[in-house]
Amino acid sequence: MSGFAILAAMLSVDSHTKSSGIYKFRAVLPFGLRVLVRATPDSEVVSATLAVRVGSRSETSAWSGLAHLAEHVTCGQETAAAQRLSAAGGSCNAVTQPDLTLYHGQVVAEEAPTLLDRLLEILGEPAIDARRIATEATIVGDEISAAMDSTVMGGFPWLWLPAALYDSPELAHNGYGDLESLRRVDEAALTAFFSRHYRADNAVLAICAADPAPLMAVLGVAEREAAVPVQDHTPGPTPVLTPAAPYALIAPRQPHQATAIAWSLPDQPMSWGHIATTVLADILVGDHGGALEEQIEALEVSAYVGPFGDPWGIAAPLPFVVEIHHSADLDPESWVPSVREVLRSLAHDTDADAVAAAARTLAVRFFAAWDDPAEQSKIMATTELVYGDANRALQIPGLLAATDPAEVRAAAAALAAAPARLLTRGPRS
C-alpha cells in the first residue's frame, strides 16, 4: 500500500469514534448551541468559527440578498466585545454561502474568551436601525460593483451562472442579492430574519486551540462527549434542465470571450457522493492528464464541481462546470460538442494512473487546507452543520484514494449524455 493510501486510511475514522476523531470534545450547551473543540498543539493562536445554517438559499424572491445583508449588519457591529477583540490584536470576518453563514476569527490564546464573546453575541439580538441597514446595503452594492467592474472577467461566471442553471429563486441566487430588494429592507424584515435563523440550535461553534481545557471551562462544560444525534442528509429532487437558449452577456470592454458549460449534478446522500465527478474534473484539466486542454485550443480551460469550485462544503444540488476563455471570433456554442466528445472518450478510456494522480492532487489540496487551524475550524463547523458530524470530513482522503476508474468513466458518460446550460460573456454579440 502506498504512503498516500496508508495516510488516507488512517484519516478515514469511524464518524462515531471520539478518541481518533476530528475533535477532542463535542457537546450541546444548555442554550442549544452545538460546540466542537479540537486540540492543535503547535498553534500559538486560537481559531474559532461560528456557522449559522442560513445562506442565500434561505431567502425568498421578495427579499433577495437578506442573508448577505444580515452578515454585514452582525459582523460590522462595533460592540464592546468587538472592540476588545480588536484591541487584543484579534480578528473576526464573515462570509455568506448558499447554505451557511460563517463567522470566523483568531486571537492569541490568553484572549480566547474575548473571541468567544464576540462570536456568541452574534446569536443575540443585533442593534438594528434604518441608518445601519442603509449603510450596509450601500456597502453590499459597492461589493457587487467591485466584483463586476474591477476584475477583468467581471465576476464571471458566478454572478450569472445560478440564474442560467436553475429556475427556483433560492437556487438562482448569485449570493449578493438584488439591490432594489435590499433598499426595501426595513427593521421589521431584518429582525424577523434574525429571529427565524440566528438561533443557537441552528448553529455550530468550532474551536481549535493548543490547550482546549481553559476554553471548556469558559463554556461551562466538562471534557466529555455529550449525546449529540448525527444527522443524515435526505436527498431532494434534482433540478431538471430543459433545453434553453445560450445565456449571453455582452461586455465590449472584456478582452476576450468567456464561456461556461454547466450541468446540475443529481443529489446524493452527501455531496461527497460526487467524489468520482470531482476526480474527473481534475483529469480534464490537471497537470497529470489535461484531457480537455489537449483537445481544445483556448486561452484557459478549467473544470470544477460546486459553487466557486468547492465540492465539499455545500449541500446539493451542485453544478459541474467547464469554463473556457477564448478569442471572441470563436463561436461559444461550438465548445459544447467538443466537451461532450472529450467526456465520451473518457467514458471509454480512463486509466487507473490518471485517477490515482488526480486523487493525490485533490488530497494534497485538502491536507494543505487542513494544516491551517483557521481552516480546520471552518471545515469542522461546516461539515457538522451541513452533514451532521464533523468527522465526516476525514472521510474525504480515504474516498479519494478508493476512487475506482469505473466510477470516473460512469461519471463522464453521465455528463456526456446529460443536458447542459451555456453561459457566455464578452465582446461577441
Side-chain angles (χ1 to χ4, degrees):
M1 182 182 291
S2 69
F4 164 66
I6 294 171
L7 181 57
M10 290 172 61
L11 285 173
S12 298
V13 298
D14 181 82
S15 64
H16 298 282
T17 303
K18 178 187 177 222
S19 59
S20 58
I22 201 170
Y23 44 74
K24 179 181 180 66
F25 162 83
R26 179 176 186 250
V28 176
L29 300 185
F31 59 94
L33 178 65
R34 206 179 318 171
V35 176
L36 309 174
V37 180
R38 175 176 172 79
T40 50
D42 297 328
S43 179
E44 299 295 332
V45 300
V46 171
S47 303
T49 297
L50 177 72
V52 185
R53 195 196 306 272
V54 60
S56 56
R57 290 177 177 176
S58 308
E59 301 169 357
T60 65
S61 56
W63 297 114
S64 176
L66 202 52
H68 189 203
L69 180 61
E71 173 232 300
H72 272 255
V73 169
T74 51
C75 199
Q77 289 185 103
E78 286 298 326
T79 63
Q83 292 172 358
R84 291 198 306 273
L85 181 61
S86 179
S91 63
C92 183
N93 297 294
V95 60
T96 302
Q97 298 179 343
D99 306 296
L100 307 174
T101 301
L102 302 181
Y103 298 87
H104 50 92
Q106 288 185 307
V107 74
V108 292
E110 57 267 27
E111 294 290 346
T114 302
L115 175 58
L116 296 185
D117 285 345
R118 176 67 187 104
L119 292 174
L120 291 175
E121 72 178 1
I122 290 170
L123 296 175
E125 295 183 4
I128 301 174
D129 56 51
R131 181 178 178 182
R132 180 77 181 167
I133 293 173
T135 298
E136 296 301 335
T138 299
I139 294 173
V140 171
D142 291 342
E143 286 187 357
I144 298 174
S145 297
M148 295 181 67
D149 299 333
S150 65
T151 59
V152 173
M153 302 311 298
F156 184 89
W158 288 106
L159 285 180
W160 301 278
L161 188 57
L165 194 58
Y166 304 115
D167 296 323
S168 60
E170 67 275 11
L171 296 179
H173 200 305
N174 66 12
Y176 282 110
D178 177 68
L179 282 180
E180 292 303 317
S181 175
L182 290 175
R183 291 189 181 104
R184 296 196 305 270
V185 174
D186 55 19
E187 296 172 46
L190 198 53
T191 299
F193 188 82
F194 276 113
S195 298
R196 186 182 315 113
H197 298 290
Y198 277 72
R199 310 186 319 268
D201 62 355
N202 198 44
V204 167
L205 176 63
I207 305 166
C208 293
D211 182 9
L215 297 177
M216 295 178 184
V218 169
L219 293 169
V221 287
E223 186 176 336
R224 60 182 175 78
E225 182 176 18
V228 182
V230 173
Q231 303 167 354
D232 288 318
H233 170 69
T234 302
T238 299
V240 178
L241 293 188
T242 54
Y247 200 97
L249 303 156
I250 307 302
R253 293 181 298 171
Q254 189 168 298
H256 58 266
Q257 199 77 16
T259 297
I261 306 166
W263 292 257
S264 183
L265 297 177
D267 200 358
Q268 298 283 348
M270 301 192 334
S271 61
W272 308 333
H274 294 300
I275 287 282
T277 310
T278 304
V279 171
L280 170 64
D282 201 71
I283 290 173
L284 285 171
V285 297
D287 295 336
H288 40 267
L292 194 58
E293 295 169 304
E294 292 176 359
Q295 298 295 322
I296 289 181
E297 293 186 6
L299 301 174
E300 182 181 346
V301 183
S302 59
Y304 45 88
V305 174
F308 303 98
D310 177 13
W312 316 123
I314 308 294
L318 295 174
F320 180 89
V321 181
V322 172
E323 188 176 336
I324 305 168
H325 293 205
H326 56 94
S327 62
D329 59 346
L330 297 175
D331 182 5
E333 294 188 64
S334 69
W335 296 119
V336 178
S338 299
V339 171
R340 290 193 188 279
E341 181 181 350
V342 173
L343 288 170
R344 284 192 290 268
S345 174
L346 291 173
H348 294 288
D349 184 21
T350 300
D351 62 40
D353 289 342
V355 171
R360 284 193 294 269
T361 298
L362 292 165
V364 166
R365 293 175 193 164
F366 177 83
F367 292 140
W370 187 248
D371 278 346
D372 180 358
E375 291 301 315
Q376 287 184 27
S377 72
K378 293 176 190 177
I379 292 170
M380 288 166 59
T382 297
T383 310
E384 178 76 19
L385 202 52
V386 174
Y387 298 113
D389 187 354
N391 276 335
R392 284 175 168 165
L394 295 187
Q395 296 173 1
I396 293 172
L399 290 170
L400 287 167
T403 303
D404 191 312
E407 296 174 313
V408 178
R409 290 193 290 269
L415 288 170
R421 289 281 171 84
L422 181 71
L423 169 67
T424 186
R425 184 180 192 270
R428 183 187 179 95
S429 61

